[in-house]
Amino acid sequence: MKTKYNFLSQNYEKNILYSGINDYHHSHVGNPDYEDSNEWEDIDDDDEDDDDDDDEEESSCHTPFEFNAPILTSSKPYKIGVELEVEANSYDDFIQIKRKLISNWIFMEEDCSLNSLGIECITVPLLPEDATSVDFWQDTIKYLTHHATSWKSPRTGLHIHIGREMFGSSREEQKMNISKLLYLYWYYIKDTDINTKINGRSKGYGETSGKCTDVDNLLKFGADILKYAKLRKSVADKLYSHNNSCRSDINILNGKTVEFRLGKGSESVNRIVSLITYYVLMSEFVKRSRWTSLNFGNFMSFIKAFTPEESPLY
């Protein structure tokens, strides 16, 4: 008896049923979500309003590739996108995936970084509740497990996009909190065992460091310098402008998301959900914390306080 898989979700529109395997980066063409957006304006984390920066100009770019939108609403203002790279076990398996995986929330593209049987599985912008749900992923990943591998390949990745709305309602607030994220990650999280274990590797491909020599020199005087607004602004400015590579562990060049790229590809639903949860919590932590509270110990305490014991992250 054949196993029946459900690749459709009632939580999303069914205007488009995604099938087949598109060309590499087909979904990026004309899509404002993937436009480079690394311009930097003066920012500070005080309470003063700046009317000139509050209204971000919306892109009028036509989007030929359309995403099915969520039907349900979320209490959270952001959405999450996931890119999972796999390699089919054989040509027959490649054809099976191409013909049978028809979905309203996940689509497939070729990926030149993989072998000839490589496939990049990309979600539409997901509700956070779905992205962090084991049940939501179960059928699709179980099907892929029968026809492809990800964890065993040295080439595959698992990339997590979190909407910039996570980091604030204005562009100014978003950029300040993203700078805090870069500071926490590169100076306290990057080289830890937990970061390596959750991501499944310590280095990605084409990796560039997000640490900045100017910031290194400032921090020689100790993290207490971040008590001073001018020095906070200087650190934020330098980190944001320095992190200008799309191959870094944290890619901030996408127009509407922050992309976490270190993750190793995996067919384990628990590992996928754990990695998504990990980066959601990291983003929440920097948004809620002062610069002087950003360190590894406080982040671990935050994870324990806000993660249910039944979460796969444990």
Side-chain angles (χ1 to χ4, degrees), residues 91-139:
Y91 181 72
D92 286 344
D93 287 305
F94 182 86
I95 296 301
Q96 284 290 320
I97 296 171
K98 182 176 180 178
R99 290 177 176 173
K100 298 290 181 66
L101 208 166
I102 301 173
S103 175
N104 65 328
W105 63 272
I106 193 166
F107 57 93
M108 296 176 289
E109 293 183 352
E110 297 175 353
D111 192 320
C112 61
S113 68
L114 306 175
N115 68 19
S116 60
L117 301 178
I119 304 168
E120 184 172 16
C121 303
I122 307 170
T123 72
V124 302
L126 299 174
L127 298 169
E129 294 83 356
D130 289 335
T132 55
S133 165
V134 169
D135 290 342
F136 180 81
W137 289 95
Q138 203 73 262
D139 271 17

Side-chain angles (χ1 to χ4, degrees), residues 78-96:
Y78 60 91
K79 296 183 180 66
I80 296 172
V82 180
E83 300 169 355
L84 171 63
E85 297 168 350
V86 303
E87 293 179 341
N89 297 327
S90 67
Y91 181 72
D92 286 344
D93 287 305
F94 182 86
I95 296 301
Q96 284 290 320

Side-chain angles (χ1 to χ4, degrees), residues 38-249:
N38 196 27
E39 70 274 11
W40 179 249
E41 295 149 6
D42 288 344
I43 60 173
D44 203 347
D45 55 350
D46 57 26
D47 294 325
E48 294 182 8
D49 292 327
D50 186 347
D51 294 336
D52 292 334
D53 291 336
D54 284 345
D55 297 324
E56 182 171 358
E57 184 177 337
E58 292 295 325
S59 170
S60 58
C61 179
H62 175 62
T63 307
F65 189 91
E66 296 182 16
F67 294 141
N68 286 329
I71 294 173
L72 303 179
T73 56
S74 172
S75 60
K76 296 167 182 171
Y78 60 91
K79 296 183 180 66
I80 296 172
V82 180
E83 300 169 355
L84 171 63
E85 297 168 350
V86 303
E87 293 179 341
N89 297 327
S90 67
Y91 181 72
D92 286 344
D93 287 305
F94 182 86
I95 296 301
Q96 284 290 320
I97 296 171
K98 182 176 180 178
R99 290 177 176 173
K100 298 290 181 66
L101 208 166
I102 301 173
S103 175
N104 65 328
W105 63 272
I106 193 166
F107 57 93
M108 296 176 289
E109 293 183 352
E110 297 175 353
D111 192 320
C112 61
S113 68
L114 306 175
N115 68 19
S116 60
L117 301 178
I119 304 168
E120 184 172 16
C121 303
I122 307 170
T123 72
V124 302
L126 299 174
L127 298 169
E129 294 83 356
D130 289 335
T132 55
S133 165
V134 169
D135 290 342
F136 180 81
W137 289 95
Q138 203 73 262
D139 271 17
T140 301
I141 299 304
K142 190 174 182 181
Y143 177 78
L144 287 171
T145 300
H146 287 302
H147 297 284
T149 186
S150 187
W151 181 257
K152 292 180 180 179
S153 170
R155 294 171 291 271
T156 58
L158 173 59
H159 304 160
I160 313 301
H161 289 259
I162 298 180
R164 286 185 175 232
E165 298 87 350
M166 156 67 88
F167 299 95
S169 55
S170 69
R171 184 165 57 183
E172 181 181 63
E173 185 182 6
Q174 289 171 9
K175 287 182 175 178
M176 177 56 73
N177 284 322
I178 291 169
S179 297
K180 288 159 65 179
L181 172 71
L182 295 170
Y183 169 70
L184 172 71
Y185 181 82
W186 287 108
Y187 288 91
Y188 293 98
I189 305 296
K190 165 64 178 174
D191 295 324
T192 62
D193 288 343
I194 188 172
N195 195 58
T196 298
K197 289 176 181 177
I198 289 178
N199 282 284
R201 57 188 175 187
S202 60
K203 290 185 178 181
Y205 36 78
E207 180 183 285
T208 59
S209 174
K211 284 188 174 182
C212 171
T213 301
D214 289 342
V215 174
D216 294 345
N217 291 333
L218 283 172
L219 291 176
K220 287 178 181 177
F221 297 98
D224 282 349
I225 65 163
L226 297 174
K227 292 178 181 179
Y228 304 100
K230 287 185 178 180
L231 291 177
R232 287 198 300 271
K233 179 182 178 301
S234 178
V235 168
D237 191 336
K238 293 177 187 302
L239 279 175
Y240 199 100
S241 59
H242 175 75
N243 280 266
N244 57 7
S245 169
C246 64
R247 296 293 183 182
S248 182
D249 286 10

